[in-house]
Amino acid sequence: EQVGPEIYYAEGRTALGTALNRNFISNAGVVIAPQSVVVIDALGSVDLAGQLIEQIRLLTEKPITHVIVTHYHADHIYGLQAFREIGAQIIAQTQAKLYLNSDMAQRRLEASREELAPWVNDQTTLEAADIWIDSDTQLTLGGWTFDLLHVGPAHTPDDLAVYVPQAQALFAGDLVFRERIPYVGSADSAGWIRSLDRLIDLQAAVMIPGHGPYSVNVQKDISFTRDYLEFLRQELAEPAYNLEDFDEAYLQIDWSAYEKTMLFREANRMNAYNVFISIQQE
């Protein structure tokens, strides 16, 4: 779907990744710059990435030269090898090396080969970046400027947000989940909130989140994720510091502002527990 001048994206489903949905649960962005195409994130399987490449070919004959990875979570990276096979360079944040070289990454891939077969299988590989970004970096790719902002540790240590000034377009990665409850996992929730404040200050005209539909009401839609994280921290700080029982603390919280949001049942309790534990460790 086109969402701005030379800006497109593919929107994943609001669901957990399964074999039935081919792990198509995250978004990918496409920027058709004057000289080449730059893709942001590679989707959750080689098959999906191949279909994305086919769709890009319908839009332009310009070569796909770069893929920027917003973070190394499975639903964003398992399609990378399809882009590598056509000669695109992969760009990511240096902290992702810690994940790539960990047992966790290999265990996650092995589990995905079973749970997401045949879309993720023995031929699916973990692909390292060709270009590693240490800090905020401005690159000229295909004739356009791309501001790569290291906004982690937040959702992950290696979070990158991508801002394209020519189109006032922000690719927020999984710092922003729109119209659904975020996946917090082992995130740095305090750092995440600070990074969202930074994205709000960009005053982007259009935003493509990591999950959910694109936005032209950018500040409001970034604030949904920010306010949810702030709510978790506010409600759980006192019981966490006082070493109270999590289950009792969870039951005392009024979740009515969020309980009708998609994936609340699947994600909220786990999110709350992770924030509860992380506050105790701060």
Side-chain angles (χ1 to χ4, degrees), residues 74-85:
D75 52 319
H76 297 260
I77 65 166
Y78 283 167
L80 280 174
Q81 67 191 86
F83 289 97
R84 172 150 282 157
E85 289 170 0

Side-chain angles (χ1 to χ4, degrees), residues 215-226:
S215 170
V216 293
N217 196 350
V218 177
Q219 291 179 305
K220 176 183 176 182
D221 289 323
I222 292 176
S223 294
F224 174 84
T225 299
R226 187 204 179 284

Side-chain angles (χ1 to χ4, degrees), residues 6 170 221:
E6 306 302 334
L170 170 64
D221 289 323

Side-chain angles (χ1 to χ4, degrees), residues 37-98:
V37 178
V38 178
V39 174
I40 294 89
D41 286 335
L43 301 177
S45 72
V46 176
D47 178 75
L48 288 171
Q51 291 191 35
L52 179 59
I53 291 169
E54 291 176 2
Q55 291 297 310
I56 294 171
R57 297 297 188 215
L58 296 177
L59 296 173
T60 179
E61 295 181 354
K62 296 175 184 178
I64 302 170
T65 56
H66 297 85
V67 180
I68 303 170
V69 181
T70 62
H71 63 296
Y72 264 76
H73 273 178
D75 52 319
H76 297 260
I77 65 166
Y78 283 167
L80 280 174
Q81 67 191 86
F83 289 97
R84 172 150 282 157
E85 289 170 0
I86 63 170
Q89 287 192 306
I90 300 168
I91 303 172
Q93 210 283 326
T94 302
Q95 292 294 319
K97 293 178 184 178
L98 298 176

